[in-house]
Amino acid sequence: MNKLIKDNSYSQPLLFNGAKTETAFRDQQTKSKSGSCAQKSKSRDGGYTIIESLVAMIVVSVLMIAIAPVMAFSVATRVQARRMELATQAARTYIDALKTGAIKFSDTPKKGFPIKASGKLEDAPAPNQGTQNDLYCVDMDGDGCVNTSSKDFYVQGAWLNKDTSISGGDPTSKGYQLLVRVYRADSFAPGVPPLKNPDDPKYKKQSVVYGVGDMRMPVVEMSTEIPASGNPSYKSLYDRLK
């Protein structure tokens, strides 16, 4: 019995050392596993970064492809809207020149005096290529009117008065209804197809929703009344309609 107790007392350090060794071994295994997991995690993170970069590039490319036409159309619309604004100013300048007598029928050359319309006023033919010198020019860039400029305008006018007493083709003394068409100067440039006439089925008034517009069409088209010399416009209109 005494021997047994003595043997048990000697076995306690051995058990403690064994447990300590086993704990150290387990800690080493745990560290080894955590190290391998960290390495695997790093490798996974590196792979995901490349994939995410590729996905981001694809998404950005798709968005750019989708947005680019909208941006281009937006810029073209702004350019056309600005061109129509300037063309409207040119038409107003032309109308004021006729009302004040700055443009006269007796001028040689005519300097843009309106042509006579036969039939309906809106059916007046469009000007021919090479006849831009017979039209009224509005210089917007200060370099003179040239048919290669995208800023200058040529204005065509057409008048209508069914009064048969008008002689010599000068309606100034009677007053008349006026049609104004404003064309881009580069519409008369060499190589540009002929301007569209009102009888063309594709003849439509331009709008900002069509982007840069059609060079063969007037940028702005409007009509107004030019009174007889010395008479107010309502009196001239009354005389023509009575």
Side-chain angles (χ1 to χ4, degrees), residues 55-81:
V55 171
M57 292 175 63
I58 293 173
V59 171
V60 171
S61 300
V62 172
L63 291 176
M64 290 299 295
I65 293 173
I67 295 174
V70 178
M71 294 178 62
F73 180 78
S74 176
V75 173
T77 301
R78 290 175 57 189
V79 171
Q80 179 67 0

Side-chain angles (χ1 to χ4, degrees), residues 117-180:
S118 57
K120 295 182 179 180
L121 183 63
E122 59 271 17
D123 292 338
N128 296 323
Q129 298 287 353
T131 62
Q132 65 271 15
N133 294 331
D134 297 332
L135 305 178
Y136 184 78
C137 173
V138 179
D139 182 14
M140 290 292 185
D141 53 14
D143 296 335
C145 291
V146 291
N147 60 3
T148 56
S149 174
S150 60
K151 297 181 179 180
D152 297 337
F153 296 100
Y154 286 110
V155 184
Q156 180 201 34
W159 67 270
L160 179 65
N161 189 339
K162 296 182 179 180
D163 189 347
T164 57
S165 63
I166 296 177
S167 60
D170 185 5
T172 305
S173 60
K174 297 290 185 178
Y176 53 91
Q177 187 179 7
L178 175 68
L179 174 69
V180 180

Side-chain angles (χ1 to χ4, degrees), residues 20-35:
K20 186 176 181 180
T21 303
E22 183 177 359
T23 302
F25 179 73
R26 288 180 178 177
D27 291 341
Q28 186 177 2
Q29 285 184 335
T30 302
K31 291 181 180 179
S32 177
K33 289 181 179 179
S34 63

